[in-house]
Amino acid sequence: QVQLVESGGGLVQAGGSLRLSCAASGRTFSSYTMGWFRQAPGKEREFVAAISWSGAYRDYADSAKGRFTISRDNAKNTVYLQMDNLKPEDTAVYSCAVARGSRIYTGVREYDYWGQGTQVTVSS
């Protein structure tokens, strides 16, 4: 059974940093793009960042560019999201996901497997 488990969320003051991790199990995802999404209360889930299977290609939402960095360790079947200079508007539940292929995808429907998410709260 495929399982994605996120960790690293928490409460941080504006300007602070957090590093999210997502450990995958049940199969190997080294050939697939992986991504991070977030959902704030009352809002739709939105794309944050994606990374290709090799790590050579990455894409970020405009809101994440220059502040967030996505990376992966295929040997550990784990993807990371380093978040710096956090803002109150970054408050959301962050979820990782595995895409259906090896291209860079930004749409929710292009991801097949999802974790339960980890809460990130940024206070002002």
Side-chain angles (χ1 to χ4, degrees):
Q1 184 177 355
V2 174
Q3 189 174 20
L4 301 175
V5 179
E6 300 94 339
S7 62
L11 174 64
V12 64
Q13 289 186 334
S17 299
L18 286 174
R19 188 192 192 208
L20 306 184
S21 298
C22 171
S25 62
R27 59 176 288 187
T28 299
F29 294 106
S30 58
S31 298
Y32 297 89
T33 291
M34 296 187 73
W36 284 97
F37 290 77
R38 68 186 184 186
Q39 187 168 20
K43 296 187 178 181
E44 294 187 352
R45 181 176 286 175
E46 64 176 7
F47 170 76
V48 175
I51 185 168
S52 63
W53 68 271
S54 66
Y57 300 98
R58 309 178 192 193
D59 194 15
Y60 298 91
D62 288 343
S63 58
K65 288 179 181 177
R67 301 188 299 124
F68 294 2
T69 303
I70 188 171
S71 60
R72 67 189 294 168
D73 184 338
N74 286 337
K76 296 181 179 180
N77 235 14
T78 299
V79 64
Y80 306 96
L81 185 68
Q82 176 67 40
M83 304 188 296
D84 298 318
N85 190 22
L86 284 161
K87 303 176 181 180
E89 51 264 43
D90 294 319
T91 295
V93 174
Y94 285 71
S95 301
C96 66
V98 181
R100 57 188 56 183
S102 59
R103 296 170 58 187
I104 291 293
Y105 307 99
T106 61
V108 171
R109 296 181 179 180
E110 293 163 321
Y111 288 78
D112 289 335
Y113 301 101
W114 293 83
Q116 291 298 312
T118 184
Q119 176 70 46
V120 171
T121 303
V122 184
S123 63
S124 57

